[in-house]
Amino acid sequence: AQSVTQLGSHVSVSEGALVLLRCNYSSSVPPYLFWYVQYPNQGLQLLLKYTSAATLVKGINGFEAEFKKSETSFHLTKPSAHMSDAAEYFCAVRADSGNTPLVFGKGTRLSVIA
Amino acid sequence: KAGVTQTPRYLIKTRGQQVTLSCSPISGHRSVSWYQQTPGQGLQFLFEYFSETQRNKGNFPGRFSGRQFSNSRSEMNVSTLELGDSALYLCASSLDQVGNTIYFGEGSWLTVV
């Protein structure tokens, strides 16, 4: 069974600073990995996804994530935070085997301080 | 093209009542899944449908049920509502392959009083 652990339920950064949101996964088979963002009172929007084509994945809004199999990690980064990045971020995993559902982490709330 | 559409967006129900939520997937998507989101439990998988068949089911009581129609539209039903069922219910759709992106709707906010 797959699982996702997001370290830190709340991360606060200054505007212009590096954003680093941590995600570790557990999967017995090769995984597909996703990062979603949720703004207040909205659904989830896909930021980026890893599907084994490349370990460094670039997404929307300047975000990127690196798949590290040896560390079972898929951390999300952005070089310079913007006020509009304040939102809830979810890491999710889906096994590349059978019909398994998308499993989400608990989420990390990102605050950006002016 | 239009995204995943969920109706109603907001609703208030009384304990013991039942509720039906509707979801229209993105055109061409045949897989529809449902999630419950609460502050305490986060995003929890309810069930997934593909071509009118339930393909996966999460760990929820039998009061939670769903179905998918031949046009891929889906409904979920919660009977005998409890206060703890208050949540955001998210519907998502995708093409069939497991690596395909899952697109989410805006959700239906259910408040049980």
Side-chain angles (χ1 to χ4, degrees):
Chain A
Q2 316 97 268
S3 66
V4 175
T5 301
Q6 291 185 240
L7 298 175
S9 59
H10 185 208
V11 170
S12 186
V13 300
S14 298
E15 192 174 19
L18 171 72
V19 175
L20 171 60
L21 304 181
R22 299 178 186 275
C23 170
N24 287 90
Y25 70 91
S26 172
S27 179
S28 57
V29 296
Y32 291 103
L33 294 159
F34 305 81
W35 274 100
Y36 285 86
V37 60
Q38 186 178 35
Y39 298 99
N41 300 318
Q42 293 188 24
L44 276 69
Q45 180 183 4
L46 180 72
L47 276 176
L48 50 81
K49 68 176 182 180
Y50 166 75
T51 57
S52 78
T55 56
L56 182 63
V57 182
K58 294 187 183 299
I60 62 171
N61 302 339
F63 284 94
E64 63 181 37
E66 186 173 8
F67 172 71
K68 292 187 176 180
K69 185 178 179 180
S70 61
E71 299 177 7
T72 61
S73 69
F74 190 57
H75 302 330
L76 182 71
T77 61
K78 181 174 180 177
S80 176
H82 191 271
M83 297 297 288
S84 61
D85 294 327
E88 186 99 20
Y89 291 80
F90 293 92
C91 182
V93 63
R94 192 172 194 184
D96 183 17
S97 175
N99 295 318
T100 57
L102 191 63
V103 175
F104 285 89
K106 292 289 189 183
T108 298
R109 181 169 301 278
L110 175 66
S111 297
V112 182
I113 304 167
Chain B
K1 58 183 176 182
V4 179
T5 304
Q6 292 187 245
T7 57
R9 287 296 317 280
Y10 304 92
L11 66 166
I12 300 173
K13 290 287 188 177
T14 304
R15 270 183 304 174
Q17 287 186 316
Q18 65 96 25
V19 66
T20 299
L21 307 177
S22 180
C23 172
S24 293
I26 292 171
S27 178
H29 287 190
R30 296 196 297 166
S31 173
V32 174
S33 50
W34 290 88
Y35 289 81
Q36 182 196 64
Q37 185 178 22
T38 59
Q41 298 298 318
L43 281 152
Q44 293 188 288
F45 172 74
L46 280 157
F47 23 66
E48 179 186 10
Y49 288 88
F50 177 77
S51 291
E52 302 179 67
T53 301
Q54 187 179 85
R55 190 156 67 174
N56 275 303
K57 189 178 191 305
N59 188 26
F60 278 82
R63 300 186 297 108
F64 291 80
S65 63
R67 59 178 176 168
Q68 186 180 33
F69 303 96
S70 58
N71 61 359
S72 294
R73 194 177 67 84
S74 177
E75 289 181 347
M76 68 162 284
N77 183 276
V78 187
S79 62
T80 320
L81 284 165
E82 301 176 0
L83 295 179
D85 297 332
S86 296
L88 176 64
Y89 290 88
L90 290 164
C91 174
S93 75
S94 69
L95 295 168
D96 184 35
Q97 285 76 28
V98 69
N100 287 123
T101 300
I102 296 177
Y103 296 89
F104 284 81
E106 297 281 283
S108 292
W109 285 95
L110 171 64
T111 301
V112 182
V113 297

